[in-house]
């Protein structure tokens, strides 16, 4: 199997997680990529600095250019315009492919770097740059390449969504919530790029370029932040059944493409209105597909590293002739569980005789089968029926086998008139 040398530039929040995944999951990544992904080195400013992840010291270097010169794939996670731009250019010029999450750089120099990649037969991928872990750029460029996108509308900045959501739920003022977000580590010490919409505008330029097959840069994006949104605005929106979200919007109008970022009123029933906290989501409208929504973590070390790794595997698969056609495994390599081995939580409804000792007999049967009860509620007493009580039991996770045996045993009790329903519960 071919080995590809992967050079990592930067070992901060995201870089440290990328290094960890490359080392921990090496054999699985090789199987998916069709090539070994060898972490050839990590360029840092200070080799002795303390990091989130313990990594072999010999991987570290302060000579990024030497590392790049020897690499097949370069992962840039320094952030900022320089030296990131210069190092990415050097990598692409040498024919190495590049993965980056650097939206600030791409929103200004994306077209130029894309052209440099094309001229050198290199790939430039940047799924992490927009909405972190959420796969959105590849769905737009690959999955929807046979359709015509008409509008992209996203919550692409977690900090501002956290602030607006907290204002909506608590009624607090912007400045108070910002201070809280900073204390919790959601907002940066200098929150300007997030709060004034600049981060979202960079992502809007990238989304618009890919969705509409045209190069847009930051200067094409109208940008307003959320610092002037007041508690009164949020309350008035709530009164009208609306919520205020900072949206990045790119849409095809008759005369051209409009790209903008601003606080926007959304009806509460819109799917984007249900995106809470620091989560991100992107809503896409396409002529044939209709409406689609992509939702998940827009930031964080490991989530963002997931997107970086996906791009790295995608690059490797195009670099090796014998890459697997689909990135899935071999049948039998993971056991397929029988249904009775699955553990889940259940909601069981019973109609029982309304007399003393019934609850304890039923509870004893659950205990005997090792099924733990989370909630038991006697909801309705039906006197027309000789005294029936309706019981609702919600269980902790247990196996289908244990549940089936419990329900069978409970159903046989003389005091149980009927097992009305057994439903499985997810997401509680
Ligand atoms: N953190 C996230 O959730 C997130 C999400 C999406 C995209 N991104 C992007 O990923 C990139 C990295 O983000 P991060 O959160 O890991 O940032 P970070 O600040 O935690 O890490 C960057 C690291 O690069 C180092 N560095 C800077 N200049 C350097 C140089 N010249 N030589 C060597 N090392 C240098 C810094 O010391 C730091 O350790 C940025 O472009 C960011 O926009 C981050
Ligand atoms: N500052 C960004 C990080 C991810 O780009 C946010 O709040 O979403
Ligand atoms: Na993404």
């Amino acid at each position: 199997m071919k080995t590809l040398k992967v050079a990592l530039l930067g070992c901060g929040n995201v870089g440290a997680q990328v290094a960890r995944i490359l080392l921990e999951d090496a054999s699985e990544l090789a199987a998916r990529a069709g090539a070994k992904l060898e972490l050839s080195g990590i360029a840092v400013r200070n080799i002795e600095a303390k990091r989130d992840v313990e990594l072999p010291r010999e991987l570290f270097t302060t000579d990024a250019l030497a590392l790049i010169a020897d690499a097949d794939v370069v992962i840039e996670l320094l952030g900022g315009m320089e030296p990131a731009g210069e190092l990415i250019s050097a990598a692409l010029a040498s024919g190495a492919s590049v993965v980056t999450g650097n939206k600030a750089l791409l929103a200004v120099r994306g077209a130029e770097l894309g052209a440099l990649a094309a001229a050198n037969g290199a790939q430039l991928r940047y799924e992490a740059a927009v909405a972190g872990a959420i796969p959105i750029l590849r769905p737009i460029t690959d999955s929807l390449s046979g359709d015509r996108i008409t509008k992209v509308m996203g919550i692409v900045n977690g900090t501002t969504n956290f602030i607006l959501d907290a204002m909506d739920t608590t009624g607090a003022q912007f400045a108070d919530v910002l201070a809280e977000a900073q204390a919790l580590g959601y907002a940066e010490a200098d929150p300007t790029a997030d709060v004034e919409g600049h981060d979202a505008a960079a992502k809007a330029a990238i989304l618009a370029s890919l969705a509409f097959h045209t190069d847009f840069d930051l200067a094409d994006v109208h940008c307003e932040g959320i610092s002037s949104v007041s508690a009164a605005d949020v309350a008035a929106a709530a009164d009208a059944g609306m919520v205020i979200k900072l949206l990045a919007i790119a849409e095809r109008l008759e005369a051209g493409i409009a790209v903008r970022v601003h606080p926007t009123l959304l009806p509460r029933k819109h799917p984007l209105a249900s995106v809470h906290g620091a989560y991100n989501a992107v809503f896409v409208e396409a002529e044939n597909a209709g409406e689609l929504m992509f939702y998940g973590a827009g930031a964080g070390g490991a989530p963002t590293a997931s997107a970086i790794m996906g791009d790295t595997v995608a690059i490797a698969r195009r670099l090796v002739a014998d890459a697997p056609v689909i990135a899935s495994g071999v049948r039998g390599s993971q056991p397929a569980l029988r249904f009775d081995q699955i553990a889940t939580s259940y909601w069981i409804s019973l109609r029982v005789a309304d007399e003393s000792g019934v609850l304890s007999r039923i509870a004893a049967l659950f205990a005997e089968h090792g099924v733990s009860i989370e909630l038991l509620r006697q909801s309705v007493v039906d006197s027309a029926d000789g005294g029936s009580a309706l019981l609702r039991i919600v269980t902790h996770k247990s196996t289908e086998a244990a549940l089936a045996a419990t329900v069978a045993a409970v159903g046989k009790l003389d005091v149980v008139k009927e097992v009305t329903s057994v439903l499985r519960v997810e997401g509680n």
Side-chain angles (χ1 to χ4, degrees):
M1 183 181 265
K2 190 168 171 174
T3 296
L4 296 174
K5 287 195 169 172
V6 179
L8 179 58
L9 312 183
C11 198
N13 278 325
V14 185
Q17 296 301 322
V18 167
R20 174 186 63 78
I21 297 169
L22 278 166
L23 296 174
E24 280 181 7
D25 299 343
S27 59
E28 224 173 306
L29 291 166
R32 308 254 183 85
K36 284 187 185 147
L37 302 178
E38 181 199 317
L39 179 57
S40 57
I42 309 172
V44 294
R45 270 196 293 229
N46 173 11
I47 291 179
E48 308 305 333
K50 176 129 185 55
R51 326 219 174 255
D52 298 348
V53 178
E54 210 166 300
L55 296 163
R57 196 178 187 284
E58 62 273 17
L59 284 176
F60 291 102
T61 173
T62 52
D63 191 347
L65 279 173
L67 195 58
I68 289 170
D70 188 36
D72 300 297
V73 182
V74 173
I75 300 176
E76 182 276 310
L77 288 166
L78 306 170
M81 301 301 283
E82 292 300 346
E86 169 204 333
L87 294 172
I88 289 176
S89 300
L92 294 173
S94 77
S97 289
V98 170
V99 183
T100 176
N102 194 333
K103 57 257 170 179
L105 176 70
L106 288 163
V108 178
R109 293 183 55 193
E112 172 210 330
L113 295 171
L116 184 61
N120 289 283
Q123 303 172 60
L124 172 63
R125 292 183 182 261
Y126 41 90
E127 180 60 77
V130 180
I134 305 175
I136 180 61
L137 301 189
R138 271 204 272 161
I140 285 177
T141 53
D142 292 354
S143 316
L144 291 169
S145 60
D147 205 336
R148 196 174 291 119
I149 292 173
T150 49
K151 186 168 184 175
V152 178
M153 197 157 71
I155 294 171
V156 292
N157 184 270
T159 307
T160 46
N161 201 59
F162 177 89
I163 294 171
L164 291 172
D165 192 38
M167 289 173 74
D168 184 50
T169 48
T170 67
Q173 288 291 355
F174 168 79
D176 298 332
V177 180
L178 172 60
E180 188 203 333
Q182 284 172 314
L184 287 171
Y186 282 107
E188 312 247 348
D190 178 2
T192 315
D194 292 322
V195 163
E196 295 309 332
H198 306 151
D199 174 75
K203 293 163 178 168
I206 295 169
L207 282 171
S209 300
L210 297 176
F212 298 109
H213 311 281
T214 311
D215 292 325
F216 294 101
D217 62 32
L218 203 51
D220 299 312
V221 185
H222 172 83
C223 176
E224 293 170 33
I226 65 163
S227 53
S228 60
V229 175
S230 66
D233 293 332
V234 172
D239 256 0
M242 314 274 269
V243 62
I244 300 179
K245 295 289 192 190
L246 183 72
L247 297 187
I249 303 173
E251 65 185 321
R252 181 193 299 279
L253 301 175
E254 220 160 272
I257 309 296
V259 195
R260 55 204 161 101
V261 167
H262 50 63
T264 313
L265 282 167
L266 270 180
R268 275 188 198 265
K269 65 181 191 311
H270 191 283
L272 285 173
S274 67
V275 176
H276 297 294
Y279 278 94
N280 282 193
V282 183
F283 191 79
V284 178
E285 294 173 22
E287 276 183 13
N288 298 305
E291 297 176 345
L292 304 163
M293 189 156 97
F294 303 83
Y295 169 88
T304 307
S306 166
I308 294 284
M309 291 314 305
D311 278 352
T312 306
V313 169
I315 284 174
R317 285 158 56 81
R318 280 187 53 181
L319 288 179
V320 292
D322 55 352
V325 175
I326 50 165
S328 65
V330 177
R331 176 154 179 88
S333 61
Q334 300 267 10
L337 295 181
R338 291 190 321 271
F339 191 58
D340 63 1
Q341 297 173 295
I342 294 169
T344 171
S345 153
Y346 302 88
W347 162 312
I348 300 141
S349 304
L350 304 171
R351 200 159 54 82
V352 303
D354 188 19
E355 53 189 61
S356 69
V358 171
L359 286 187
S360 66
R361 286 176 69 192
I362 291 172
L365 280 180
F366 274 78
E368 235 170 72
H369 290 88
V371 178
S372 159
I373 294 175
E374 183 184 336
L375 180 147
L376 189 150
R377 189 166 291 161
Q378 177 171 320
S379 48
V380 184
V381 176
D382 180 1
S383 51
D385 184 20
S388 277
L390 296 182
L391 286 189
R392 195 177 79 206
I393 297 169
V394 179
T395 73
H396 286 292
K397 274 197 175 176
S398 82
T399 63
E400 287 283 341
L403 187 273
T406 311
V407 171
V410 166
K412 283 193 196 123
L413 287 177
D414 53 354
V415 291
V416 173
K417 299 184 177 177
E418 192 189 359
V419 178
T420 339
S421 62
V422 178
L423 294 167
R424 296 170 185 88
V425 186
E426 291 291 337
N428 62 334

